[in-house]
Structure formats: C-alpha cells, structure tokens
C-alpha cells in the first residue's frame, strides 16, 4: 500500500474532482421549493447500534434504520435501546441517545451553495457537533424554541419533563429565547429552558456528565482526526471520506491509476455482492452499502477490477445522490477485464404491504466480530464490516496478516460508562456507547471503574437488543457494527 503522503494526494485529488462536479447533484428529481432554494440534499445515517428506526417520508412510517441510509427532508429518526449518528455533507454530525425522537423539517441548499438545516428534538437527548463554515446554517428546535447554532460549536440537548437542558460543550451561543430575551452562553455552561412558561432561561456554571458523553467525544475525535481529508475546496459533498481513510487506503491499480481498496478484502471480494435497495418517493431505488465506509464510494466515482488485486474505487465523474444506480456494474464486467455478478434491481416500486428496502446477498456476508470473552476475530473479505470505527487504531498491519492467514484473533477489552457496569449484568444501551480496544485492559480498569466516574471495563459478549428486522442476527454490542442482512435476492 502507498505511503501517507501519496494517500493524502489521492484523497485530495478525489475531492478536487468532487468540487468540480457538484452541480451534477441538481439532476435529482426533487424540485426546488422556491427561487434560490433547492431540496437537492441528502444526509446519511452514518452509525447505527441497536434499535434504530427511520421514517424516510415515503408514506410507510418508521422502518428499520441501517447504516448509510440517506435522510431527506421531513425524515424522522427514532431510537429505542440503541444509538445513532447522522452525518451532514460538511462533516457536521448529530448523535442521538436511546429513547429519543428527532425530526428533520428542513434540509435545503441555498443559492450561495450553503446549506440550511433544522433538526427538531421531540424527546430524549441529542448531541450536535458543527464544523467551521461561513455559508451553512443550522437550527436546533425543541418545544417552542428554535436556536441558531454558530459554526463551529458543540452542544448537548436533553429534554426531561417540562425542561430542556442545553449544555454548551464548545463554542459560544447567542440565544434569543421564545420570550424574546437575549442571552449569551459561553462554553462549559448549561442553560435550562422551561418548555411551558416563557420565562428567562437559567444558566448554570457547569455541565453535569451524562453516560453518553464518552461516546459523543469519541465520535467527535474520530471525525476531527480525518477532517483534513474532507475540507478541500469547500466541497459540499466530502462527507464519508474519513471512513475511507480509516478502513482502507489507496494503491496503484495495475496501471489504471490510484485506486482505493478496503482493508480485509481479497481479490475475490465484490463491492456490490451485499447491500440493499431502498425506495425513495420521487427518486426511485437507491443502493445502500452495509460497510462502515460505504457512503462516498457508492455515490461518487466508479469501481474497477484490477487482475490480481480485485475491485478498487476510483474518483471521477459526477456526484450521485439518491440516484446512484448508474454507478453499479450491471453486467458484472469492467473495462479492466474483471468479473463480478449481476446486480438485481427490483422490477417495480414497492407495492402496498411490500417492504421499501430489499436485501441483496449474492454471496455470504463475511463479518469480523467478537468471538469469545476477550477475543476479536478479523476475517478476510469482511472489508471492515464489524470492525468498530476508530476502535483499533491503524488497521493496515493487521490487514496484512489477515490477507496472509485468512483470519486473525486479537485480545481485546471493552470500556464503557460506569453506569453500564452497575449490577450483575451490563446495561445494554450504555454498553453500546462504549468502545472496544486491542490488547489487555489496563490494571486500573480491572472490571471496575477506571479513568474517572464515566468509564469502566467489560470483556466479552453482552446480549444486547435485536437489530433491524431485515438483519439475520444482532451484532454483539461489544463490537458495534452493521449486522448481516438476511439472505435472499429482491423478489422479481
């Protein structure tokens, strides 16, 4: 594989091409709502752990939520015993705690190219992390409040009874409350709103910790560490590049130029053998990949086959939003002489009582996962499926060993908020917000609290909640990742 400078150059080149071709997104069938304002936007469900449901505004109500599902305007997201993350085009992100409901009443692109987003927290708790931007607008709504958040900023909003508590984790907020009162709130402060009475919000001097703060901080760090790959030329479609940089790398594709390939993939691995077709009203079917890196390579660029190396992704061409069918090698043959399998497309829109997501499994889906009390198995041809994002550090070396031996077992330990460790059985929802690490647990963890009141240690499996109904089995909560989809092709 290539050196880091070459990898950065390849990433830069891909994003340069994206910046040139962003106007192609306007071919979406979604019409502009008014002069200078377009509905040509999609954000993505970037992480799913446990019970997550999504209403995609297609008239079917809530359906199973899976990673890389696009969210369009007026979508609704609901978590049960699970957590979810939503990523916006500029790498800003929203994380949703268990037992929460979030609505997306506004997802627009303005005439200046900037975005206008409104996220409405109906119940529960959510974190918002906004990256620096001069053109994008982001509103956080709850109760009768509608707060314009500056960029950059990082907040946590929790609704409890008749109160809304907004913790300013980073940035400085200027709030105009529903009562008309103006208030400046610096970082590391909490402001409490009365959701029934139009009273002056109350500001506290500190921020009370919550069990999911560590999950939020880990996710923010994951995004920020790869931000340099995602900010070239202000491209509005650079999201998902951080996942590619963690789960794979660029290499010379047998004379065809630089190609990106995921780790843990042999020459026989097929990027379109497993996934799902998701129906969107007015746009048709959209291909959804189950892989944790599976956003950008399925909406931009193209896949080519290199003999002896296998399938690789190459930047270039137009950005494909919901209409990403044209990217799929329908015949299974490429100019490079490689082979694959045909990609069955559902022959008609879903009928009444038929699902709007159709699973595709042309080959058995391989997954890396926890296989014993303190052991994680990396498997070849899993292509990163099951590998927690940013949990194991750099993956290139272990990927080389997997390529040689087919699979590699490594000792692991699990850290989670101390609230998850109380009692004889771990709290499954809090455990999902923890993280898995290679090696032995530090002596200070020892099965109990470590590193402060918000961490603990736990090794082995935990019987977490079932995943979406289209999955054949729930993923172990100690190794959060998309679960395998049920076997079978779309009905013809």
């Amino acid at each position: 594989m290539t050196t880091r400078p070459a990898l950065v150059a390849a990433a830069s080149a891909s994003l340069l091409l994206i910046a040139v071709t962003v106007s192609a997104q306007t071919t979406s069938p979604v019409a502009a709502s008014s002069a200078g304002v377009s509905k040509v936007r999609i954000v993505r469900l970037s992480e799913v752990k446990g019970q997550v449901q999504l209403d995609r505004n297609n008239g079917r109500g809530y359906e199973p939520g899976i990673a890389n599902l696009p969210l369009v305007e007026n979508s609704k997201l609901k978590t049960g015993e699970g957590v979810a993350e939503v990523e916006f085009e500029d790498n800003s992100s929203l994380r949703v705690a268990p037992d929460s409901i979030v609505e997306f009443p506004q997802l627009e692109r303005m005439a200046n190219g900037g975005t206008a987003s409104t996220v409405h927290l109906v119940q529960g708790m959510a974190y918002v992390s906004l990256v620096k931007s001069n053109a994008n607008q982001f509103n956080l709504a709850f109760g009768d409040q509608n707060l314009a958040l500056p960029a950059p900023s990082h907040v946590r909003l929790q609704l409890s009874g008749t109160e809304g508590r907004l913790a300013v984790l980073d940035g400085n907020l200027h709030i105009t409350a529903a009562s008309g009162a103006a208030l400046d709130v610096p970082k590391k402060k909490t402001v409490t709103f009365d959701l029934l009475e139009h009273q002056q919000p109350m500001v506290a001097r500190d921020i009370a910790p919550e069990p999911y703060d560590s999950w939020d901080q880990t996710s923010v760090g994951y995004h920020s560490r790869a931000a340099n790959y995602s900010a070239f030329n202000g491209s509005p479609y650079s999201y998902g590049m951080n996942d590619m940089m963690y789960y794979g790398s660029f290499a010379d594709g047998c004379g065809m130029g630089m190609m990106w390939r995921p780790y843990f993939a042999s020459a026989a691995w097929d990027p379109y053998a497993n996934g799902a077709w998701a129906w969107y009203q007015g746009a048709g079917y959209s291909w959804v990949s189950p892989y944790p890196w599976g956003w950008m390579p399925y909406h931009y660029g193209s896949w080519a086959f290199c003999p002896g190396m296998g399938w690789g992704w190459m930047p270039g061409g137009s950005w494909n939003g919901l209409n990403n069918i044209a990217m799929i090698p329908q015949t299974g043959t490429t100019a490079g002489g490689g082979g694959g399998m045909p990609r069955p497309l559902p022959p008609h829109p879903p009928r009444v009582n038929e699902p709007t997501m159709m699973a595709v499994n042309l080959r058995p889906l391989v997954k890396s996962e926890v296989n014993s009390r303190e052991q994680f198995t990396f498997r070849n041809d899993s292509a990163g499926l099951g590998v927690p994002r940013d949990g194991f550090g750099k993956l290139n070396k272990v990927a080389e060993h997997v390529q040689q031996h087919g699979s590699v077992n490594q000792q692991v330990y699990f850290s989670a908020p101390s609230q998850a460790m109380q009692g004889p059985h771990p709290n499954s929802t809090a455990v999902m917000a923890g993280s898995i690490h290679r090696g032995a647990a530090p002596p200070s963890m020892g099965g109990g609290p470590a590193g402060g009141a918000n961490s603990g240690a736990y090794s082995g499996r935990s019987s977490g909640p079932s995943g979406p109904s289209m999955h054949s089995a729930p993923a172990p909560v100690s190794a959060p990742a998309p679960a395998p989809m049920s076997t079978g092709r779309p009905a013809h």
Side-chain angles (χ1 to χ4, degrees):
M1 290 298 175
T2 60
T3 63
R4 184 173 182 83
L7 183 149
V8 173
S12 302
S14 67
L15 289 165
L16 281 168
L17 288 167
I18 295 174
V20 172
T21 59
V22 293
S23 60
Q25 172 80 350
T26 59
T27 59
S28 167
V30 183
S33 60
S34 60
V37 177
S38 171
K39 302 296 184 181
V40 183
R41 283 191 64 194
I42 54 171
V43 300
R44 67 157 178 158
L45 192 56
S46 52
E47 188 176 31
V48 174
K49 301 178 183 179
Q51 296 176 348
V52 177
Q53 293 181 299
L54 184 64
D55 181 339
R56 293 179 287 124
N57 192 32
N58 59 9
R60 296 299 185 90
Y62 285 105
E63 299 175 294
I66 59 175
N68 295 313
L69 263 179
L71 277 77
V72 295
E73 190 173 75
N74 293 317
S75 294
K76 301 176 183 178
L77 178 65
K78 179 168 65 174
T79 58
E81 290 190 20
V83 295
E85 181 189 76
V86 173
E87 189 177 18
F88 297 83
E89 296 96 325
D90 64 354
N91 285 305
S92 293
S93 52
L94 165 77
R95 276 164 294 283
V96 185
D99 301 316
S100 302
I101 298 176
V102 177
E103 299 175 344
F104 299 83
Q106 180 192 33
L107 292 174
E108 297 180 338
R109 187 169 298 283
M110 298 176 289
N112 64 358
T115 60
S117 306
T118 297
V119 170
H120 177 209
L121 181 63
V122 179
Q123 73 175 47
M125 183 168 67
Y127 300 81
V128 177
S129 178
L130 303 183
V131 301
K132 185 177 181 180
S133 171
N134 295 323
N136 297 341
Q137 300 175 6
F138 193 100
N139 295 324
L140 181 60
F142 58 99
D144 57 0
Q145 306 290 331
N146 191 8
L147 308 181
L149 299 183
S153 62
H154 183 196
V155 302
R156 181 190 72 206
L157 175 61
Q158 184 175 14
L159 303 183
S160 179
T162 61
E163 284 188 348
R165 294 190 296 277
L166 183 70
V168 183
L169 304 173
D170 198 8
N172 296 281
L173 271 59
H174 179 78
I175 295 173
T176 301
S179 62
L183 190 65
D184 289 317
V185 184
K187 66 179 180 180
K188 307 304 180 185
K189 305 291 184 183
T190 301
V191 56
T192 301
F193 298 84
D194 189 321
L195 302 181
L196 294 181
E197 303 291 338
H198 289 183
Q199 298 179 355
Q200 177 76 357
M202 303 295 293
V203 178
R205 294 184 178 181
D206 55 10
I207 295 176
E210 291 291 338
Y212 297 92
D213 288 353
S214 58
W215 167 59
D216 171 67
Q217 289 291 342
T218 299
S219 298
V220 169
Y222 172 75
H223 288 294
S224 64
R225 279 188 289 276
N228 58 317
Y229 297 118
S230 307
F232 297 107
N233 299 308
S235 169
Y237 301 113
S238 58
Y239 54 158
M241 197 68 183
N242 50 355
D243 296 319
M244 294 179 66
M245 295 303 97
Y246 179 67
Y247 284 100
S249 62
F250 283 88
D252 186 9
C254 55
M256 292 190 292
M258 297 298 290
M259 298 174 62
W260 178 90
R261 276 181 51 80
Y263 297 133
F264 314 110
S266 71
W269 174 80
D270 188 332
Y272 283 97
N274 303 95
W277 293 109
W279 172 263
Y280 286 84
Q281 194 68 38
Y285 280 103
S286 185
W287 177 264
V288 181
S289 169
Y291 297 104
W293 47 263
W295 179 254
M296 179 177 285
Y298 295 93
H299 291 272
Y300 168 72
S302 61
W303 288 89
F305 188 88
C306 178
M309 185 171 72
W311 289 92
W313 174 84
M314 303 177 68
S318 301
W319 174 266
N320 297 275
L322 294 176
N323 300 324
N324 62 354
I325 295 176
M327 295 181 60
I328 303 176
Q330 296 291 337
T331 63
T333 304
T334 71
M341 293 186 178
R343 325 297 172 191
L345 178 67
H348 53 73
R351 300 187 178 99
V352 178
N353 298 325
E354 287 185 344
T356 66
M357 285 189 289
M358 311 288 282
V360 174
N361 281 286
L362 302 179
R363 297 180 182 179
L365 187 61
V366 181
K367 183 183 176 187
S368 298
E369 61 186 344
V370 170
N371 67 10
S372 67
R373 181 170 176 81
E374 297 179 343
Q375 196 173 75
F376 188 90
T377 298
F378 295 89
R379 294 191 176 93
N380 205 19
D381 285 344
S382 66
L385 184 66
V387 178
R389 69 180 194 184
D390 207 28
F392 289 147
K394 294 181 179 180
L395 298 173
N396 55 326
K397 294 300 182 182
V398 67
E400 291 176 2
H401 290 295
V402 171
Q403 188 74 22
Q404 296 171 3
H405 304 288
S407 64
V408 168
N409 295 326
Q410 291 205 347
Q411 184 181 13
V412 296
Y413 68 95
F414 186 79
S415 63
S418 59
Q419 291 89 333
M421 303 300 122
Q422 296 174 358
H425 302 289
N427 179 289
S428 60
T429 55
V431 166
M432 278 186 290
S435 57
I436 190 170
H437 312 272
R438 281 191 285 194
S444 60
M445 297 182 74
N454 292 327
S455 62
Y458 172 69
S459 298
R461 294 179 181 268
S462 174
S463 55
S466 298
S469 58
M470 69 185 298
H471 293 184
S472 62
V477 297
S478 53
M485 295 181 180
S486 58
T487 57
R489 302 185 181 187
H492 285 263

